Amino acid sequence: TFKLQRFKEFLSLLGDPHNSLRVVHIAGTKGKGSVCAFIAYILREAGFCTGLYPSPHLVDFRERIRILTPDTRGKKSPAPDFEGMISKQALAALVRELKPAVCRYNRSSPYGELSFFEVYTAIAFLYFKRRKTDFVVLETGLGGRLDATNLAEALACGITPISFEHTDKLGNTLEKIAAEKAGIIKQPGGVVVSASQV
């Protein structure tokens, strides 16, 4: 079940790494992964070190944690790696580092155990913070309002076209699904870009 309080508490144990990130947050049903990639590459071309956290992955779950930097432009990644993908060594080190904290939290949490997506999102937040990214582009995993990525405050949000999906969790009408997706919009007067919904 979705319980943001659980993930919020866990991130606080890690020093709230998400609070230091400058985030662009994207939700929707169709095209959100492509939109995230476009934004990340535009930011990279503008000279910024940019974290990219898409979901789901295509081949290797390391694809979900990528950093695009101006100095990697045009350099070929080792096949079948995606450009800027976290290395196996860096990911393994972060898993080893966080494992004791995850186990301790799961034993004492009143909200149930952390999900894979929550733990992996925490790893991404720590990695992006430590690599001193200028911006991070986050794609919601499911919905938006109660998605683990939604604990990060966004400089700008985007909503791609919405259609029926995960109706057992998000609701059985487009209005309910849209409300869940729009849950990433948290700041009054914040920047929001929405695709045409027709």
Side-chain angles (χ1 to χ4, degrees):
T1 57
F2 299 116
K3 294 174 180 168
L4 275 185
Q5 188 60 34
R6 173 177 64 204
F7 191 45
K8 183 176 182 180
E9 280 190 356
F10 182 67
L11 287 178
S12 72
L13 297 176
L14 305 180
D16 292 317
H18 58 298
N19 287 343
S20 65
L21 304 177
R22 301 170 71 199
V23 169
V24 178
H25 203 184
I26 307 297
T29 302
K30 302 173 187 170
K32 63 183 187 293
S34 298
V35 169
C36 286
F38 291 146
I39 293 169
Y41 277 94
I42 288 169
L43 288 168
R44 194 276 299 274
E45 289 301 310
F48 296 107
C49 175
T50 306
L52 175 59
Y53 188 62
S55 178
H57 57 274
L58 298 176
V59 179
D60 185 327
F61 62 83
R62 290 185 299 126
E63 296 165 31
R64 298 185 185 206
I65 302 176
R66 298 170 60 192
I67 294 181
L68 307 173
T69 59
D71 60 341
T72 61
R73 182 174 37 237
K75 293 183 180 176
K76 190 161 177 59
S77 296
D81 285 3
F82 281 72
E83 182 183 353
M85 196 162 82
I86 188 172
S87 69
K88 292 178 182 178
Q89 296 80 8
L91 179 57
L94 282 164
V95 169
R96 283 193 299 270
E97 178 185 342
L98 261 64
K99 184 178 178 182
V102 170
C103 292
R104 280 194 307 272
Y105 184 80
N106 283 345
R107 284 194 297 268
S108 62
S109 170
Y111 304 104
E113 294 187 353
L114 294 159
S115 68
F116 166 83
F117 188 72
E118 288 168 331
V119 173
Y120 209 63
T121 302
I123 289 170
F125 287 162
L126 276 174
Y127 185 67
F128 293 145
K129 176 183 178 181
R130 290 174 181 177
R131 290 287 302 271
K132 296 180 170 54
T133 53
D134 297 311
F135 294 97
V136 173
V137 183
L138 299 176
E139 177 181 354
T140 58
L142 176 66
R145 181 176 65 92
L146 296 177
D147 190 78
T149 60
N150 202 28
L151 285 178
E153 290 294 329
L155 297 171
C157 297
I159 309 288
T160 67
I162 294 167
S163 60
F164 288 101
E165 63 164 340
H166 305 293
T167 53
D168 57 322
K169 295 178 178 68
L170 304 179
N172 57 5
T173 67
L174 284 179
E175 289 78 9
K176 289 178 180 177
I177 294 170
E180 291 296 321
K181 305 285 186 182
I184 67 170
I185 305 167
K186 301 186 291 292
Q187 297 179 359
V191 176
V192 180
V193 178
S194 176
S196 172
Q197 298 297 326
V198 293

